[in-house]
Amino acid sequence: TYYIKNAIIGIGENMSSIYNLTYEELLNYLLDLGYKKFTADQIFDWLYKKRVSSFDEMTNLKKELITKLKEDFTIGLLELVKKEEDTGVKKYLFNLSDNNKIECVLMFHDYGNSLCISTELGCNMGCAFCESGRLKKVRNLLPSEMVSQILTVESTESLRITHIVLMGIGEPFDNYDNVIKFIDIINDSKGISLGSRHITISTCGIVPKIKEFSNYKQVNLAISLHAPNNKIRNELMPINKAYNIEKLISAIKEYIDKTNRRVTFEYILLRDVNDSVSCAIELANLLKGMNCYVNLIPYNETTHIEFKKSTKSQITKFYDTLKKCGINVTIRKEFGSKVDAACGQLRSKHEEAK
Ligand code: SAH
């Protein structure tokens, strides 16, 4: 079996999935075997343009190469365990080769089809309001397991996904190398060719990785802020004890200076926790002058966690206050509450039903 170099903690046959390979890795593998660059182009074309599900279908390759590929790699989509639908949204639960389950959510927007994918099995960040963190991280997802979420949904629904958000289960910057490899694979023009501006990575604020990420390509960055000060943020997000708001904001300012990109701040509105007008003013002062916008998220209530969503009128007040202070702000369109679309909900329901 040909194991890829930088994939960390993968289990089972997905380790040898051909979808783990960036174009350059596939090319090097083939060059080592004495093949030409052209063959790498052909294989990427079979995998990501023609979308074959077996090596035997790659009819323009030499027989001996097909045999070698079969020895070294696996190919194939994820097993669909469960699918739920609501207006404008579909949610999928997939089984992995080691029987772990992952979920992803497809959303139909006026600008395109956006897929929210998971990056880890479970999550170690422990955010108080989030369902995903109730299950500690089991392992990183491999690049192939992220790529396959896209391929499987596209094949199941017979459509093309135009936007990717890394906002499913997991903290992308806690699985940095595999996530970057995944983006390299789907961004490659010889493959799925998803434009980097159509990819958004969301992080709870792992500061060193934000710095590292500023040297990477122009992918959108979203920060889960959720609080205007350390007192509230410490209570909601344990990561704040490692990298507090001052460190986070200064890393993001550096990121913006370096990349010239606008950053999104996500802010879940939790009733009587972080949704007061004075919180809005504090938030506006924190973000004043930055090239950013705030995406207010109505909280998706879950059965295990006590937080309540803010009232409509409080959401409007918060929004109006930010606007008045000159902050760019939107309220996230709410869908998916019927399909348990908030991070980790479908999987935890499935686990309980067993
Ligand atoms: N770990 C990354 C990405 C996954 S979470 C991050 O923290 O950004 C994606 C987004 O969903 C985050 O902003 C997270 O705070 C938010 N989220 C988690 N649970 C939610 C819920 N029940 N309702 C609304 N948003 C939620």
Side-chain angles (χ1 to χ4, degrees):
T1 302
Y2 180 82
Y3 288 108
I4 51 162
K5 267 177 233 138
N6 296 324
I8 14 182
I9 331 179
I11 292 173
E13 69 185 32
N14 286 346
M15 272 294 271
S16 55
S17 167
I18 194 154
Y19 304 125
N20 280 315
L21 269 62
T22 62
Y23 177 80
E24 279 64 35
E25 286 172 332
L26 180 65
L27 178 62
N28 287 332
Y29 167 84
L30 291 164
L31 292 177
D32 281 353
L33 292 174
Y35 291 93
K36 300 232 157 62
K37 181 176 175 293
F38 180 63
T39 312
D41 294 1
Q42 286 178 316
I43 294 178
F44 244 55
D45 190 68
W46 283 117
L47 292 175
Y48 298 117
K49 304 276 197 222
K50 301 201 178 76
R51 305 283 171 100
V52 295
S53 54
S54 71
F55 293 114
D56 286 321
E57 290 166 76
M58 302 184 175
T59 47
N60 57 5
L61 303 185
K62 289 208 175 101
K63 280 255 152 44
E64 63 194 41
L65 177 57
I66 292 181
T67 308
K68 177 80 179 135
L69 289 171
K70 280 195 211 165
E71 271 168 34
D72 287 346
F73 301 107
T74 59
I75 181 171
L77 302 180
L78 298 169
E79 178 199 342
L80 181 64
V81 179
K82 196 172 173 185
K83 178 170 147 183
E84 294 189 354
E85 294 186 35
D86 195 355
T87 327
V89 54
K90 295 186 183 190
K91 181 147 184 167
Y92 309 85
L93 190 71
F94 295 121
N95 192 33
L96 302 178
S97 58
D98 59 357
N99 271 329
N100 275 302
K101 309 283 182 291
I102 50 167
E103 54 181 53
C104 64
V105 183
L106 174 63
M107 289 162 287
F108 302 98
H109 296 281
D110 44 13
Y111 57 79
N113 305 322
S114 159
L115 190 68
C116 174
I117 74 150
S118 294
T119 55
E120 298 181 313
L121 268 173
C123 182
N124 277 344
M125 297 302 116
C127 299
F129 48 79
C130 181
E131 187 76 18
S132 305
R134 295 201 319 121
L135 189 97
K136 285 275 158 277
K137 175 164 156 179
V138 178
R139 65 173 174 86
N140 290 327
L141 287 187
L142 291 164
S144 61
E145 292 166 330
M146 296 180 239
V147 172
S148 308
Q149 293 176 54
I150 302 176
L151 298 179
T152 309
V153 169
E154 289 194 335
S155 148
T156 309
E157 303 297 337
S158 303
L159 50 70
R160 280 284 174 267
I161 285 155
T162 58
H163 293 72
I164 295 292
V165 293
L166 284 77
M167 293 187 188
I169 296 178
E171 166 50 47
F173 282 176
D174 190 33
N175 183 15
Y176 191 82
D177 293 349
N178 287 353
V179 162
I180 292 299
K181 200 170 256 192
F182 159 69
I183 296 175
D184 284 343
I185 294 167
I186 63 168
N187 183 233
D188 200 301
S189 59
K190 294 180 243 17
I192 300 177
S193 193
L194 256 155
S196 54
R197 300 215 149 93
H198 286 208
I199 303 169
T200 302
I201 195 161
S202 176
T203 176
C204 64
I206 300 182
V207 164
K209 293 299 174 192
I210 294 173
K211 295 189 177 176
E212 202 173 332
F213 192 65
S214 66
N215 298 315
Y216 186 62
K217 43 177 90 127
Q218 302 268 300
V219 170
N220 302 311
L221 181 64
I223 307 288
S224 295
L225 188 62
H226 306 328
N229 58 49
N230 287 320
K231 186 166 178 290
I232 301 177
R233 200 163 192 267
N234 279 338
E235 268 161 40
L236 296 176
M237 305 175 72
I239 192 71
N240 200 65
K241 290 176 186 147
Y243 309 107
N244 65 22
I245 290 202
E246 291 72 34
K247 287 185 185 149
L248 180 59
I249 295 294
S250 118
I252 294 162
K253 283 183 175 158
E254 256 175 57
Y255 173 92
I256 294 171
D257 280 347
K258 204 160 179 182
T259 61
N260 246 322
R261 303 275 298 152
R262 187 164 79 157
V263 164
T264 305
F265 286 100
E266 299 161 274
Y267 194 104
I268 302 178
L269 287 163
L270 301 164
R271 193 188 300 173
D272 300 330
V273 175
N274 65 356
D275 66 347
S276 66
V277 166
S278 74
C279 279
I281 293 169
E282 211 178 345
L283 181 64
N285 287 331
L286 187 69
L287 304 182
K288 200 163 272 169
M290 282 173 85
N291 183 17
C292 70
Y293 87 95
V294 175
N295 195 202
L296 296 176
I297 309 175
Y299 183 55
N300 213 327
E301 290 177 10
T302 105
T303 40
H304 310 101
I305 300 171
E306 269 155 38
F307 293 106
K308 292 273 166 268
K309 70 189 320 174
S310 300
T311 60
K312 282 234 159 65
S313 75
Q314 198 57 35
I315 294 177
T316 310
K317 263 191 215 160
F318 201 95
Y319 174 90
D320 288 344
T321 309
L322 287 180
K323 266 256 136 102
K324 245 185 261 159
C325 296
I327 300 289
N328 297 313
V329 54
T330 52
I331 300 176
R332 181 173 294 173
K333 186 177 158 206
E334 233 182 317
F335 45 7
S337 49
K338 264 195 240 145
V339 294
D340 302 301
C343 251
Q345 286 183 354
L346 185 63
R347 194 184 57 157
S348 61
K349 201 168 72 175
H350 179 82
E351 298 296 310
E352 274 155 24
K354 281 202 286 202

